[in-house]
């Protein structure tokens, strides 16, 4: 079939297998063009099919020579419906990893469940020699069913305490408007922490430690974002920010728990990037569009794979102590948060509207990156050519 992008709101409901494979290959090529990293050799990535999780798995495999297990929740193609982009990404990653002589195993299912945790532990014992020396926690999900109580929680992107009004953009049409978001209820705040906070990360690490599949000196890391004051009301001071506070608190608790193994736990604060999650956050797509233009003009722009390569090579697996901020967080958002970058972004923010959008932002770059999340607008791919949407993942376990 000929596959074209189809949209429902901020979600693309189709994905292109050839385009996704080319995107994965481009990331692999970047990592292989850089110096090798003396890093982990047996890695579990929870949330491994897109974004920072996928990039972490690629850096671990092709930058450090690591065998990997990836856990994710994606859908294969059915009849004339394409698979999800994460499915195609994983198929492409596995193919190249195995070609390079690496172990690459995949588990598809609800990572919040006990069953997936137990199944993953078995796979670590059977396929990774019994222990992992790195655990990456990179889950992004809109809801969570608690594995013990069975209660279902739904996350929301809302301010706390009072309504928030600011500019937002429909990146499809280029229309800039003012948007007001009503504040979250106490239950919505609680639910968002339950979905996006650190409890499940804690449960994973407790289960892995109890099963004795964590190696001496193990590193675990989760990802967060802070951003500029402009986005604080909807992000860092909103419901998501409360969840991220909980995630960061969990990192300190895990770090203490891993001391007997000589292990360590971190949260890495990463740069704002175009992802399926960030596309749904009001204000953020417009902020990113301006940020991209400023950082590209200053020669500071990094994409997802560049961020993760720098995290591994210049932070986690450098010689000496890992540099952290006053709250113990790794800051890979350091280039984004440079005062001169933020000052330039704020100056443009005051001027931006529908008439100035194309001139003073990189909205076209934002659109391009968004399409590429789903395998479209990828150089070297003929989108008028028929392709088979049914792609197999050799090691997939539908647990």
């Amino acid at each position: 079939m000929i596959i074209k992008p189809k949209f429902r709101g901020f979600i693309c409901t189709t994905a292109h297998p050839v385009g996704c494979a080319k995107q994965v290959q481009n990331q692999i090529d970047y990592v292989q063009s850089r110096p090798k990293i003396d890093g982990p050799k047996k890695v579990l990535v929870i949330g491994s099919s897109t974004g920072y999780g996928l990039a972490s798995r690629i850096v671990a495999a092709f930058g450090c020579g690591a065998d990997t297990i990836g856990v994710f929740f994606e859908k294969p193609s059915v009849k004339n419906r394409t698979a999800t982009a994460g499915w195609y990404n994983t198929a492409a990653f596995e193919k190249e990893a195995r070609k390079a002589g690496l172990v690459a195993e995949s588990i598809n299912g609800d990572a919040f469940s006990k069953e997936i945790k137990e199944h993953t532990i078995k796979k670590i014992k059977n396929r990774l020699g019994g222990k992992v020396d790195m655990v990456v926690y990179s889950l992004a999900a809109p809801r969570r069913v608690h594995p013990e109580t069975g209660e279902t929680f739904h996350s929301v992107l809302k301010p706390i305490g009072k309504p928030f009004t600011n500019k937002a953009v429909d990146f499809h049409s280029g229309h800039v408007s003012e948007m007001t978001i009503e504040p979250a209820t106490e239950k919505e705040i609680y639910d968002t922490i339950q979905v996006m906070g650190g409890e499940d990360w804690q449960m994973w690490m407790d289960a892995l430690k109890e099963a004795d599949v964590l190696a001496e000196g193990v590193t675990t890391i989760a990802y967060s974002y802070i951003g500029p004051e402009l986005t604080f009301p909807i992000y860092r001071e909103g419901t998501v920010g409360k969840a991220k506070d909980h995630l960061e608190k969990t990192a300190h608790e895990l770090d203490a728990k891993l001391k007997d193994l000589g292990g360590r736990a971190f949260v890495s604060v990463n740069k704002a990037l175009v992802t399926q999650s960030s596309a749904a956050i009001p204000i953020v797509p417009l902020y990113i569009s301006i940020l991209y233009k400023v950082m590209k003009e200053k020669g500071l722009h990094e994409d997802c794979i560049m961020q993760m390569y720098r995290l591994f090579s210049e932070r986690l697996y450098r010689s000496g102590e890992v540099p952290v901020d006053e709250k113990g967080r790794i800051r890979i958002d350091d280039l984004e948060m440079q005062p001169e970058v933020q000052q330039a972004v704020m100056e443009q923010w005051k001027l931006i509207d529908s008439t100035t959008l194309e001139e003073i932002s990189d909205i076209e770059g934002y659109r391009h990156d968004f399409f590429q999340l789903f395998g479209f607008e990828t150089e070297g791919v003929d989108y008028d050519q028929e392709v088979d949407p049914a792609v197999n993942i050799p090691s997939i376990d539908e647990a």
Side-chain angles (χ1 to χ4, degrees), residues 347-366:
E347 287 172 357
Q348 300 294 47
W349 185 267
K350 295 171 187 173
L351 303 173
I352 203 156
D353 58 26
S354 298
T355 63
T356 59
L357 179 69
E358 298 286 345
E359 177 189 352
I360 67 176
S361 82
D362 187 24
I363 191 65
E364 195 51 47
Y366 185 97

Side-chain angles (χ1 to χ4, degrees), residues 164-169 175-181:
F164 175 63
T165 300
N166 213 317
K167 297 174 185 177
V169 66
H175 178 63
V176 177
S177 61
E178 198 171 75
M179 176 180 284
T180 298
I181 306 163

Side-chain angles (χ1 to χ4, degrees), residues 107-323:
I107 299 170
N108 191 32
D110 179 8
F112 295 128
S113 70
K114 283 185 177 179
E115 291 77 16
I116 290 295
K117 292 177 176 69
E118 291 168 359
H119 191 75
T120 302
I121 288 166
K122 288 178 184 175
K123 189 160 282 244
I124 291 170
K125 292 177 177 178
N126 294 335
R127 297 292 292 136
L128 289 195
K131 293 186 186 290
V132 291
D133 54 1
M134 184 179 196
V135 180
V136 177
Y137 187 84
S138 185
L139 278 190
R143 72 182 189 97
R144 175 183 176 221
V145 178
H146 198 282
E148 293 175 356
T149 68
E151 189 176 355
T152 300
F153 305 102
H154 296 270
S155 62
V156 297
L157 295 157
K158 289 187 176 183
I160 294 173
K162 60 183 179 180
F164 175 63
T165 300
N166 213 317
K167 297 174 185 177
V169 66
D170 180 333
F171 60 87
H172 295 302
S173 67
H175 178 63
V176 177
S177 61
E178 198 171 75
M179 176 180 284
T180 298
I181 306 163
E182 294 301 317
T185 64
E186 287 301 316
K187 185 177 188 313
E188 286 175 325
I189 296 169
Y190 177 77
D191 277 20
T192 302
I193 293 170
Q194 288 296 309
V195 177
M196 302 178 70
E199 185 183 44
D200 186 63
W201 184 21
Q202 177 87 62
M203 287 179 166
W204 267 101
M205 296 307 295
D206 285 349
L208 294 168
K209 190 176 185 186
E210 186 177 338
D212 193 27
V213 294
L214 296 178
E216 289 286 329
V218 65
T219 294
T220 185
I221 191 161
Y223 299 133
S224 188
Y225 181 66
I226 295 176
E229 288 187 24
L230 173 71
T231 64
F232 275 11
I234 191 62
Y235 198 91
R236 198 66 209 194
E237 293 173 353
T239 53
V240 177
K242 290 293 184 185
K244 295 302 185 184
D245 288 344
H246 188 273
L247 186 77
E248 291 166 15
K249 178 174 174 285
T250 302
H252 292 295
E253 293 169 355
L254 288 175
D255 194 68
K257 279 190 172 186
L258 293 173
K259 288 303 182 194
D260 60 336
L261 289 173
R264 53 195 189 158
F266 296 103
V267 161
S268 174
V269 179
N270 301 339
K271 173 196 174 194
L273 285 176
V274 181
T275 65
Q276 293 183 56
S277 301
S278 68
I281 305 175
I283 300 171
V284 170
L286 187 58
Y287 166 73
I288 290 176
S289 298
I290 300 173
L291 177 72
Y292 273 25
K293 186 175 180 68
V294 170
M295 293 190 76
K296 287 176 181 178
E297 287 175 349
K298 293 181 179 293
L300 298 173
H301 180 66
E302 291 177 314
D303 60 18
C304 204
I305 196 67
M306 295 166 76
Q307 284 260 294
M308 291 301 95
Y309 180 84
R310 188 156 69 93
L311 172 65
F312 277 59
S313 63
E314 297 182 15
R315 299 294 193 273
L316 290 174
Y317 296 103
R318 56 177 262 164
S319 59
E321 290 291 313
V322 175

Side-chain angles (χ1 to χ4, degrees), residues 32-50:
Q32 290 183 323
S33 74
R34 307 291 295 164
K36 287 292 183 184
I37 303 166
D38 184 13
K41 299 305 176 192
K42 307 288 181 180
V43 177
L44 169 62
V45 184
I46 304 157
S48 65
S49 55
T50 61

